[in-house]
Amino acid sequence: MPRFLITILRVGIAASIMFGLFGQIVVIPTVAADEVDRFPAYAPFATPYVTVAITGVACVQVVLAAMWMLLDMVERDVIFTERAFRWVDIIIGAAIVATLLAFGVTGHLLLAEIPSPDDGMEIDSALAAAAVCVAVGAAFAMLMVIMRGLLHKATVLRAEMAEVV
């Protein structure tokens, strides 16, 4: 992989992690506080939902950090080693945690009596968004399991080729 491309990817990963930190520290709590000010009945839900949102962003940051480490392994041409599986497993674990968080939010929005300032459209939209997050998270986790299997096969083939040569 060209060094220039690796540098561009690292800049993107670093920027994404920093943007996530900004979201965790500033955006998520501020938006939650604004919603509670606008509609005080949301107050009991603010802290749990802020916690879930911050944790969800942290899961994305963990995935990005693991991708950074895998990129480093690609650069050093050691991606087809057993160490790479640890980072892929971390990605899979973070994806599963984020998906379970979204599943919990989906279940809560579906079953709880959450007041709505208007006609309930806000809750319906949030429910749809949470359900989409569950589907996307599950698909991503499954894709990573498949990619882990491919990495395993490639690692075995590389070891076999090294023995032959």
Side-chain angles (χ1 to χ4, degrees):
M1 184 177 269
R3 185 145 178 74
F4 176 73
L5 183 58
I6 290 173
T7 302
I8 295 296
L9 289 171
R10 282 188 176 155
V11 168
I13 289 171
S16 298
I17 290 172
M18 290 301 158
F19 182 72
L21 280 173
F22 177 74
Q24 289 170 308
I25 295 168
V26 177
V27 176
I28 294 170
T30 302
V31 168
D34 290 346
E35 285 300 311
V36 168
D37 287 344
R38 192 173 71 88
F39 191 63
Y42 284 164
F45 305 105
T47 301
Y49 275 78
V50 164
T51 303
V52 167
I54 289 172
T55 306
V57 173
C59 288
V60 172
Q61 290 169 320
V62 167
V63 168
L64 291 169
M67 287 174 55
W68 182 288
M69 297 307 295
L70 288 169
L71 199 57
D72 184 56
M73 294 179 79
V74 166
E75 185 178 40
R76 292 183 290 126
D77 197 30
V78 292
I79 190 69
F80 297 112
T81 61
E82 293 296 319
R83 270 191 28 207
F85 293 105
R86 175 178 34 164
W87 297 111
V88 175
D89 289 343
I90 288 171
I91 291 171
I92 293 168
I96 289 170
V97 168
T99 302
L100 290 174
L101 287 170
F103 184 76
V105 168
T106 304
H108 183 260
L109 291 172
L110 189 61
L111 301 174
E113 290 294 325
I114 300 174
S116 181
D118 296 324
D119 59 356
M121 191 64 185
E122 296 84 5
I123 304 303
D124 293 340
S125 299
L127 176 61
V132 167
C133 287
V134 171
V136 169
F140 179 75
M142 288 186 281
L143 175 65
M144 289 297 101
V145 169
I146 291 168
M147 297 304 287
R148 186 186 191 285
L150 291 172
L151 178 63
H152 177 70
K153 285 189 181 283
T155 303
V156 168
L157 287 173
R158 184 162 184 167
E160 287 176 6
M161 290 299 290
E163 287 177 14
V164 171
V165 175

